Amino acid sequence: MIHSLTDTVTLNNGVNMPGFGLGVFQVSNEDTILSVQNAIEAGYISIDTAQIYGNEAGVGEGLRRGLAATGKKREEIFITSKVWNHQLDYDQTISAFNESLLKLGLDYLDLYLIHWPGNNEYLEAWRAMEALYAEGKIKAIGVSNFAVHHLESLLAVAKVTPVLNQVELHPRLAQKEVRAFGKTHGIATEAWSPLMQGQLLQDETILALAEKYQKSAAQIILRWHIQNDIIVIPKSVKKERIISNAAVFDFSLSSEDLAQIDQLDNGTRVGPHPDTFFFE
Ligand code: NDP
């Protein structure tokens, strides 16, 4: 379990990844600049973007401004991006990666993910990612939205085991099967939409716990993730929320209260299902 905003999880290839970061899905390029800068100034050292978000240039600019404001070095910030579904053959993945680097203004990425498995195009994309990894252009490679059967097919041919699987995960979709498989195979689990895109913030159980611990609903949910060893990347464009979402290291949920939150799991998704999304 991580104990601070800059605490890291050691991935299966030895790379240390911060257990808490900022997400920038559905944020304009312009707003991304300030969000990323605010996050770095607030002490965040990990940012999650993707080719499809259209804001990699904003992440790059926000990163440069954040570094200038804090005196931190590029190497101290962990940057993740992802290859989108229409570019999963070998050459396309290589060029998508190079375009992402160019937009970000970086010469390497910390983590690069296959965004969605699609049908089975990910096998080609993975070969390309292994090549980029071997060249040292990416520090770690992983996947996103992979169900257990996708991971099994990938592991059957992969030379490099993915370091993590980034999936929709929150108290209403606890992803126990994916987490258990990951644990057995050394694949860390990272939650996207850790706050269920805000939909869990009015939940009665969460609100009662917020009252009990004198914390916000978002802080209760994020603490549940952390105590379950799940890497989180909550998104906010609001400076005060960016700061308060990360103020989750001065309290602990009791095992009874963690169990209460566990009971909210009813398989509800805010995003698409990996077995049906982007089949063409
Ligand atoms: P989150 O669960 O992080 O929720 C974000 C929403 O919650 C926003 O509407 C935000 O509004 C609001 N919010 C954040 N903090 C608070 C707070 N303290 N109080 C009240 N409201 C709050 O959803 P995301 O879908 O953005 O997921 C997080 C990240 O995961 C993404 O940004 C992206 O990086 C990644 N992701 C990856 C996917 C994948 O397929 N791999 C898919 C989806 C997301 P506001 O900004 O106004 O504060």
Side-chain angles (χ1 to χ4, degrees):
M1 185 176 93
I2 56 164
H3 298 283
S4 73
L5 182 53
T6 53
D7 210 352
T8 55
V9 171
T10 303
L11 303 172
N12 66 25
N13 66 346
V15 164
N16 292 321
M17 173 176 184
F20 198 108
L22 178 80
V24 294
F25 179 41
Q26 294 175 319
V27 184
S28 70
N29 206 39
E30 201 53 34
D31 290 346
T32 297
I33 299 175
L34 196 57
S35 296
V36 170
Q37 180 180 353
N38 283 334
I40 293 174
E41 287 188 25
Y44 284 59
I45 55 166
S46 175
I47 309 292
D48 180 271
T49 184
Q51 174 187 17
I52 195 71
Y53 301 170
N55 58 21
E56 287 169 313
V59 169
E61 183 56 28
L63 171 66
R64 283 183 289 282
R65 292 189 193 181
L67 296 181
T70 58
K72 286 202 170 86
K73 298 192 177 67
R74 161 25 186 150
E75 299 72 46
E76 295 176 69
I77 313 290
F78 194 97
I79 304 289
T80 301
S81 193
K82 317 178 189 90
V83 58
W84 187 241
N85 306 346
H86 63 273
Q87 283 192 291
L88 294 180
D89 83 21
Y90 188 96
D91 291 338
Q92 288 171 335
T93 300
I94 303 274
S95 43
F97 170 80
N98 285 324
E99 278 167 33
S100 286
L101 268 193
L102 207 63
K103 286 187 181 146
L104 285 157
L106 299 177
D107 54 12
Y108 73 91
L109 265 189
D110 294 280
L111 177 64
Y112 197 46
L113 306 178
I114 297 178
H115 208 142
W116 287 89
N119 241 325
N120 57 9
E121 297 91 336
Y122 58 87
L123 297 174
E124 270 280 290
W126 193 252
R127 279 204 307 120
M129 303 211 352
E130 287 178 333
L132 292 164
Y133 176 63
E135 282 178 55
K137 291 185 171 168
I138 317 172
K139 303 287 181 200
I141 54 177
V143 294
S144 177
N145 298 302
F146 274 43
V148 167
H149 69 91
H150 297 119
L151 291 170
E152 283 171 339
S153 308
L154 181 60
L155 291 182
V157 296
K159 294 197 189 82
V160 178
T161 299
V163 293
L164 65 73
N165 186 16
Q166 183 187 109
V167 291
E168 179 178 347
L169 203 172
H170 41 70
R172 291 211 186 119
L173 184 71
Q175 298 272 20
K176 288 197 182 112
E177 208 194 338
V178 167
R179 279 157 67 192
F181 185 90
K183 202 166 185 185
T184 310
H185 292 85
I187 301 168
T189 302
E190 180 175 32
W192 62 255
S193 296
L195 304 172
M196 205 182 173
Q197 293 188 345
Q199 290 179 34
L200 260 175
L201 299 174
Q202 297 306 322
D203 179 273
E204 280 179 16
T205 304
I206 301 294
L207 286 175
L209 292 171
E211 177 68 25
K212 174 175 171 183
Y213 288 89
Q214 289 293 294
K215 290 283 169 184
S216 71
Q219 288 169 330
I220 297 292
I221 298 166
L222 293 168
R223 187 70 206 176
W224 172 85
H225 285 281
I226 289 167
Q227 288 184 231
N228 277 292
D229 284 326
I230 297 160
I231 300 167
V232 280
I233 42 169
K235 169 260 175 186
S236 180
V237 291
K238 301 191 170 64
K239 187 176 181 177
E240 63 280 7
R241 289 181 180 169
I242 290 173
I243 293 169
S244 70
N245 286 349
V248 287
F249 298 100
D250 58 353
F251 76 109
S252 257
L253 296 167
S254 69
S255 47
E256 292 77 19
D257 291 336
L258 286 172
Q260 258 200 75
I261 301 177
D262 287 342
Q263 284 177 8
L264 300 179
D265 184 16
N266 61 8
T268 314
R269 291 174 187 271
V270 285
H273 195 290
D275 281 339
T276 50
F277 188 55
F278 223 81
F279 277 69
E280 288 185 328

